[in-house]
Amino acid sequence: MWLNDTSELIELLKKKGAKRVALQFPEGLKRRSATVAAALKDAGFYVIISGDPCYGACDLALDTLTYADVLIHFGHAPVDAQPDVIFELYPMDFDVAVLENVLPFLKGGSVGLVTTVQHVHLIPAMERFLQSKGISCRVAEGGRRTPTRGQVLGCSFAAAKASGADEILFVGTGLFHPIGIALSTQGRVIALDPLTGSVQEVSGDTLMRRRFAVMEKARGAKNTGIIVSTKSGQQRMDLARRLASLSPTAVIVTMREVNPDELLNLGFACYVNTACPRLTYDDQVRFPVPLLSPQEFEILCGVRAWDEYTIDEIV
Amino acid sequence: MWLNDTSELIELLKKKGAKRVALQFPEGLKRRSATVAAALKDAGFYVIISGDPCYGACDLALDTLTYADVLIHFGHAPVDAQPDVIFELYPMDFDVAVLENVLPFLKGGSVGLVTTVQHVHLIPAMERFLQSKGISCRVAEGGRRTPTRGQVLGCSFAAAKASGADEILFVGTGLFHPIGIALSTQGRVIALDPLTGSVQEVSGDTLMRRRFAVMEKARGAKNTGIIVSTKSGQQRMDLARRLASLSPTAVIVTMREVNPDELLNLGFACYVNTACPRLTYDDQVRFPVPLLSPQEFEILCGVRAWDEYTIDEIV
């Protein structure tokens, strides 16, 4: 792994003829930037680090790349094709025997297996383990933004839906992904945290109730800001234009970071978020006014039925 | 003023043939964005608002402009020539008779008069007032970034220095500008707050003592991040490259917002700020580690003498 041993990276950069190298790290790995930069400098490269916040491959430091021959993006798989960007994953291992904990929760039909990018390298071992227990395990290819078999993102649950399985097993930390899968597939979802070994069945009901409350609060808002991200992989301007056309008091607002202080400063009564979908569902408590998903705004504008409520994904 | 009456603005946009209009407001005026946007929408324009933080004309929403024919930037005078950007000032009036309060502080020689962009329209009236009191008042043209006679910015005190006067009278709120002028001109500076009428002689001594303490703390830091802004009017990459060449453990770091959390995440022991100079002097208390000016780093690297200490300006 290049974070620990840069020799393979240096070899690759030399082969590509790159002399000026830009580095980008997600928040949890930023601390390693000085060490990686020092190793590359010692090897004769000109190095520049992107110091902006980064939460995914949807947020590439293309501005920093303008000063370099190549950008090395650590910790995420690509969500779109980008020339001159090299993606270096940060795989996190665990003992797949932890899947033993899941067995009592399974109903006996087919199981669709999905995980996040840190653990996708363990998909084959997890498949073998489940099959050795007599479980019919299905792993599907994901969508355009999830290039690896069995991979899901907070904004793309395609690999879960495409498995066509009776129930979904999500292996990873946190509840955001499995709740999203439950809302996206409308099926049963079991979540296993591979680090603690804890298992639970996950439902989207609580989130749905919270969202309906937010929508009620937004109803009749005197004006609406339709947020469009300027990040490389989050720009959904066409969607935003369509949403803005639904209301005479809606205006498009571009933002790099969707930030509670800025929403308050701008002073719209309500916002629709076409940037990272996770902000809408996970972070409402941080925001001073309702932050709706595109689908929720469509329902309030009367162009989508309530029973067509679905979670927002970037396809 | 277009903020209150958009009819003149609408006329201008029609004359220019602009159909898609991007709007950008500084933090203190952002609340007006929805009203201005609604008026332009009613007049048939396609409107898009930049929702990112904005503290000066050095931070133009060029990304938002890519979706529009023209960007209207409110509240600041231009710091660099930009096609398709219209600058709309936000003049703030006061009664120039408040300059009476200054008279007891003046020593009798020539007085260089400077102010910030909100009040530059009152420069002729202030000149006349001082001259009517028998004071030899000098108002100089500024530098490249201060297009209006007598105007200073937090990063450009050229109009003060160029006055060649015996002492400088700064009219405006806050002490950052007059302290900067004192350090830049090495002369006597009187500051008048035109809203409260309070007057004081300003010295750079306290700031200097604080800066020397920060420099001592930074001495011997194990590594250094040289911050380069990606904002339109703050990019000083050539300066950053020269500074990075002064130390084997210095690496260039690009940032949009220079943010204490990100500096902590990156984990460098010390930073040099080539972005907005004011961050270095005004905001050190917010930063977890020393944030040096370019000149301070040069002193620590032994390529500038201590008695050549000067305040950082963007020229």
Side-chain angles (χ1 to χ4, degrees):
Chain A
M1 198 159 44
W2 298 346
L3 269 179
N4 302 323
D5 173 7
T6 47
S7 58
E8 197 191 315
L9 171 58
I10 288 168
E11 210 52 49
L12 176 68
L13 291 171
K14 282 183 177 159
K15 211 154 61 188
K16 285 179 87 78
K19 289 186 166 34
R20 301 172 307 155
V21 180
L23 304 176
Q24 184 179 27
F25 301 84
E27 296 312 281
L29 298 178
K30 268 212 168 68
R31 273 273 158 162
R32 317 285 280 271
S33 57
T35 315
V36 175
L40 293 180
K41 266 188 86 170
D42 284 349
F45 295 96
Y46 171 82
V47 181
I48 179 165
I49 297 169
S50 166
D52 287 323
C54 172
Y55 303 102
C58 51
D59 185 11
L60 295 175
L62 300 181
D63 48 2
T64 310
L65 177 56
T66 62
Y67 296 110
D69 303 318
V70 65
L71 169 68
I72 305 172
H73 180 98
F74 287 85
H76 305 114
V79 299
D80 49 11
Q82 290 283 356
D84 304 325
V85 181
I86 299 173
F87 295 87
E88 168 68 355
L89 298 187
Y90 185 70
M92 289 182 69
D93 285 326
F94 57 82
D95 181 353
V96 297
V98 72
L99 271 73
E100 187 83 42
N101 297 4
V102 168
L103 305 180
F105 286 81
L106 301 179
K107 292 232 161 151
S110 60
V111 174
L113 175 66
V114 291
T115 186
T116 51
V117 69
Q118 298 92 329
H119 308 308
V120 280
H121 63 293
L122 296 176
I123 282 271
M126 290 194 277
E127 267 180 298
R128 281 194 301 273
F129 180 89
L130 290 172
Q131 279 156 358
S132 77
K133 301 292 177 183
I135 290 157
S136 160
C137 176
R138 297 187 188 175
V139 182
E141 298 292 337
R144 190 178 57 83
R145 291 164 74 86
T146 47
T148 315
R149 211 171 135 262
Q151 183 202 350
V152 288
L153 281 171
C155 61
S156 176
F157 310 110
K161 212 184 273 183
S163 75
D166 297 322
E167 52 193 347
I168 302 291
L169 170 59
F170 168 79
V171 180
T173 48
L175 289 181
F176 182 76
H177 292 85
I179 288 173
I181 294 166
L183 289 173
S184 176
T185 63
Q186 303 288 331
R188 187 165 182 262
V189 180
I190 306 297
L192 164 68
D193 184 326
L195 308 179
T196 65
S198 72
V199 185
Q200 60 183 302
E201 186 176 339
V202 173
S203 146
D205 291 351
T206 308
L207 178 66
M208 285 287 282
R209 278 196 292 271
R210 277 210 313 263
R211 297 311 305 166
F212 286 174
V214 172
M215 289 169 71
E216 277 309 313
K217 209 174 145 197
R219 188 189 295 280
K222 73 173 195 295
N223 54 24
T224 304
I226 314 279
I227 299 169
V228 176
S229 174
T230 52
K231 295 186 176 186
S232 60
Q234 293 183 18
Q235 290 170 25
R236 291 195 283 175
M237 186 55 94
D238 290 343
L239 170 62
R241 285 200 184 106
R242 188 168 62 68
L243 295 171
S245 73
L246 298 178
S247 162
T249 60
V251 181
I252 292 176
V253 177
T254 61
M255 298 191 97
R256 183 146 193 95
E257 303 296 334
V258 180
N259 176 309
D261 293 341
E262 293 309 313
L263 297 192
L264 203 61
N265 267 346
L266 281 161
F268 282 89
C270 150
Y271 294 89
V272 180
N273 173 33
T274 73
C276 172
R278 191 163 177 168
L279 292 169
T280 310
Y281 305 110
D282 241 12
D283 290 359
Q284 177 67 59
V285 67
R286 290 171 51 220
F287 293 110
V289 289
L291 186 67
L292 300 175
S293 74
Q295 294 78 12
E296 290 164 355
F297 186 63
E298 287 173 346
I299 291 173
L300 286 184
C301 291
V303 297
R304 177 187 286 263
W306 278 90
D307 58 7
E308 283 168 1
Y309 186 99
T310 184
I311 193 159
D312 185 28
E313 297 180 64
I314 303 186
V315 287
Chain B
M1 198 159 46
W2 299 346
L3 268 179
N4 302 322
D5 173 8
T6 47
S7 58
E8 197 191 316
L9 171 58
I10 288 169
E11 211 52 51
L12 176 68
L13 291 171
K14 282 185 179 159
K15 211 154 63 187
K16 284 180 86 77
K19 287 186 170 30
R20 301 172 308 155
V21 181
L23 303 176
Q24 184 178 28
F25 301 84
E27 296 312 280
L29 298 179
K30 268 212 167 67
R31 273 275 158 161
R32 316 285 281 270
S33 56
T35 315
V36 175
L40 293 181
K41 265 187 87 169
D42 284 349
F45 294 97
Y46 172 82
V47 181
I48 181 166
I49 297 168
S50 167
D52 287 324
C54 172
Y55 303 102
C58 50
D59 185 11
L60 294 175
L62 300 181
D63 47 3
T64 309
L65 178 55
T66 62
Y67 297 111
D69 304 318
V70 65
L71 170 68
I72 305 172
H73 180 100
F74 287 85
H76 305 114
V79 299
D80 48 11
Q82 290 284 355
D84 304 324
V85 181
I86 299 174
F87 295 86
E88 168 68 355
L89 298 186
Y90 186 69
M92 288 179 72
D93 284 325
F94 58 82
D95 181 352
V96 298
V98 72
L99 270 72
E100 187 84 43
N101 296 3
V102 168
L103 305 180
F105 286 81
L106 300 179
K107 293 233 162 148
S110 60
V111 175
L113 175 66
V114 291
T115 186
T116 51
V117 68
Q118 297 92 326
H119 308 307
V120 280
H121 63 294
L122 296 176
I123 282 272
M126 290 194 277
E127 268 182 296
R128 280 192 302 272
F129 180 88
L130 290 173
Q131 279 156 358
S132 77
K133 302 292 176 183
I135 290 157
S136 159
C137 175
R138 296 189 188 174
V139 182
E141 298 291 335
R144 191 178 57 83
R145 291 164 73 87
T146 47
T148 315
R149 209 169 136 263
Q151 184 202 350
V152 289
L153 280 172
C155 60
S156 176
F157 310 110
K161 212 184 273 183
S163 75
D166 297 322
E167 52 192 347
I168 302 291
L169 169 59
F170 168 79
V171 180
T173 48
L175 289 181
F176 182 76
H177 292 85
I179 289 174
I181 294 166
L183 289 172
S184 177
T185 61
Q186 305 286 332
R188 185 164 184 264
V189 180
I190 305 298
L192 163 69
D193 183 327
L195 307 180
T196 65
S198 71
V199 184
Q200 59 184 302
E201 186 177 341
V202 173
S203 145
D205 290 352
T206 307
L207 179 66
M208 285 287 283
R209 279 195 291 272
R210 278 209 314 261
R211 297 310 306 166
F212 286 174
V214 172
M215 289 170 70
E216 275 311 310
K217 211 175 145 194
R219 187 190 294 280
K222 73 173 195 295
N223 55 24
T224 304
I226 313 278
I227 298 169
V228 176
S229 174
T230 52
K231 295 185 176 186
S232 59
Q234 294 183 17
Q235 290 170 24
R236 290 195 283 175
M237 185 56 93
D238 290 344
L239 170 63
R241 286 201 184 105
R242 187 169 63 67
L243 295 171
S245 74
L246 298 178
S247 161
T249 61
V251 182
I252 292 176
V253 177
T254 61
M255 299 190 96
R256 183 143 193 95
E257 302 297 334
V258 180
N259 176 309
D261 292 342
E262 293 309 312
L263 298 192
L264 202 61
N265 266 347
L266 282 161
F268 282 88
C270 151
Y271 293 88
V272 181
N273 174 32
T274 74
C276 171
R278 189 161 178 169
L279 291 169
T280 310
Y281 305 109
D282 240 12
D283 290 0
Q284 177 68 59
V285 66
R286 291 171 50 220
F287 293 110
V289 290
L291 185 67
L292 301 175
S293 74
Q295 294 77 12
E296 289 164 356
F297 185 63
E298 287 173 347
I299 291 173
L300 286 184
C301 290
V303 297
R304 177 187 286 262
W306 279 90
D307 58 6
E308 283 168 1
Y309 186 99
T310 183
I311 194 158
D312 185 28
E313 297 180 66
I314 303 186
V315 288

